[in-house]
Amino acid sequence: SYQFTSFVLMAPAELETYAFNADISQLMSLIINAFYTNKEIFLRELISNASDALDKIQFQAAQDPSKLEAEPNLCIKVTPDKDAGSVTVEDTGIGMTREEMINHLGTIAKSGTKAFMEAVSSGADMSMIGQFGVGFYSSYLVSEKVRVVSKSNDDEQYIWESTAGGTFLVWKDTTFEHGVLKRGTKVICYLKDDQAEFLESDRLKELIMKHSAFVGFPIDLRMEHRQEEEIEVKEEAEAPEKRRKVTVSYSWELINKNKPLWLRPAEGVTHEEYAELYKFLSADWEDHLAVK
């Protein structure tokens, strides 16, 4: 006798394709083709956006504490993944609905979009991008593809994706390949082949310390630990041979654990620390003029 097993196949979520607003398309083209060496700023911008999203849900929760119920823990996580060739910046902030994804990440240009392009064409530095409210697109300095997974209290989980060719895709997340978000956003940068330095957790740690140490929410980084040891391998009828064995392990490390500058005695703060705080607060790329 034969037994028949029936399989229920989930229909793939409907992919919706949208064209980028013309100004955003032009901005992305400028970023992708820029001969700009300071590409590390992408991480600062994504962490800054994550911090803003956390500020927004915190503000909402001040009026209505139930807004935090889905995920009370407010934090930022940075995960390099060598196998996938990606860096992910995740927050438990306000998240985006489907409509907000479509509007904020592509179809409605912010007022700063054109202003930033004009500033760059007049000789301004690309690192000013955050001042114009379009820091998200700096991810294309290092990425060939960016995927954004987001969950708002007001909608289901959705995915946005673009390789920057003038269009982007949006679909409802039904496979949860990147996990189920209680609330918040994951920005996954699939890096260009020549940007592999940003897959190294030590390099990311250095950048977080340099640009994002003053963020008011905990930033956890998935650190890679490599341990090498020599072992003897004995083949049959041959002398023992020494080989290197590499063990790789991972752990989460809180990076921004220093006490904020404003809580420390003034004489214990260096010029460099003042400069970094000024740049963080002002999104300026030059040092402050003076300290009072």
Side-chain angles (χ1 to χ4, degrees):
S1 67
Y2 294 100
Q3 281 190 319
F4 293 98
T5 308
S6 62
F7 293 96
V8 178
L9 293 175
M10 279 186 74
E14 197 177 322
L15 296 176
E16 298 170 332
T17 306
Y18 296 88
F20 279 110
N21 164 284
D23 283 345
I24 294 174
S25 243
Q26 199 182 335
L27 169 71
M28 291 172 83
S29 198
L30 173 76
I31 288 168
I32 287 161
N33 300 312
F35 184 70
Y36 181 63
T37 50
N38 193 21
K39 299 188 176 204
E40 65 183 49
I41 62 157
F42 86 96
L43 187 62
R44 177 191 73 191
E45 295 304 327
L46 294 182
I47 289 175
S48 176
N49 287 354
S51 177
D52 289 347
L54 289 161
D55 278 334
K56 284 175 183 166
I57 196 68
Q58 205 169 42
F59 179 75
Q60 279 193 0
Q63 274 97 37
D64 178 2
S66 71
K67 297 282 186 186
L68 281 181
E69 275 174 11
E71 175 54 272
N73 184 29
L74 299 179
C75 64
I76 299 167
K77 287 188 171 178
V78 180
T79 311
D81 183 338
K82 286 182 176 174
D83 294 332
S86 68
V87 175
T88 300
V89 177
E90 178 182 1
D91 65 69
T92 55
I94 197 164
M96 285 178 281
T97 63
R98 175 183 163 277
E99 286 305 310
E100 286 168 341
M101 268 188 162
I102 294 164
N103 293 339
H104 297 340
L105 301 181
T107 59
I108 297 178
K110 289 191 167 76
S111 55
T113 310
K114 232 180 183 129
F116 174 66
M117 289 190 284
E118 285 164 6
V120 169
S121 64
S122 305
D125 195 277
M126 184 79 75
S127 68
M128 291 174 68
I129 191 165
Q131 286 185 47
F132 293 87
V134 286
F136 166 74
Y137 299 104
S138 68
S139 51
Y140 285 95
L141 285 168
V142 296
S143 311
E144 58 184 15
K145 178 175 82 176
V146 178
R147 182 176 279 190
V148 180
V149 185
S150 201
K151 169 77 177 77
S152 159
N153 281 332
D154 304 322
D155 207 345
E156 294 179 76
Q157 188 165 313
Y158 276 85
I159 299 177
W160 176 103
E161 183 183 285
S162 181
T163 52
T167 61
F168 61 92
L169 295 169
V170 173
W171 69 95
K172 186 177 162 186
D173 195 350
T174 55
T175 60
F176 302 105
E177 175 191 347
H178 305 288
V180 176
L181 302 184
K182 294 174 185 174
R183 186 196 62 247
T185 300
K186 276 186 180 183
V187 180
I188 306 161
C189 298
Y190 294 92
L191 301 179
K192 297 172 184 171
D193 292 340
D194 61 350
Q195 302 300 321
E197 66 178 282
F198 300 115
L199 295 172
E200 300 298 336
S201 54
D202 286 338
R203 175 75 171 118
L204 297 177
K205 180 178 180 177
E206 174 199 327
L207 292 177
I208 295 168
M209 295 290 288
K210 179 179 173 184
H211 295 301
S212 309
F214 305 110
V215 168
F217 298 97
I219 304 171
D220 288 302
L221 172 63
R222 188 172 184 251
M223 294 294 294
E224 178 184 277
H225 311 282
R226 299 175 76 84
Q227 195 172 2
E228 289 190 16
E229 56 180 325
E230 278 197 347
I231 54 168
E232 281 194 356
V233 179
K234 195 174 188 309
E235 305 281 346
E236 274 182 48
E238 284 184 26
E241 187 187 330
K242 279 196 159 75
R243 288 190 194 163
R244 268 186 194 285
K245 181 189 174 193
V246 180
T247 309
V248 181
S249 62
Y250 301 91
S251 67
W252 288 101
E253 186 178 329
L254 175 65
I255 305 301
N256 56 338
K257 48 180 165 251
N258 289 343
K259 194 189 273 192
L261 252 59
W262 49 92
L263 297 179
R264 285 160 51 188
E267 62 273 12
V269 180
T270 66
H271 174 85
E272 288 75 21
E273 287 174 319
Y274 273 127
E276 284 305 323
L277 176 62
Y278 167 72
K279 288 175 189 172
F280 172 72
L281 293 174
S282 65
D284 198 349
W285 77 103
E286 289 182 346
D287 281 6
H288 54 290
L289 294 173
V291 174
K292 195 171 178 184

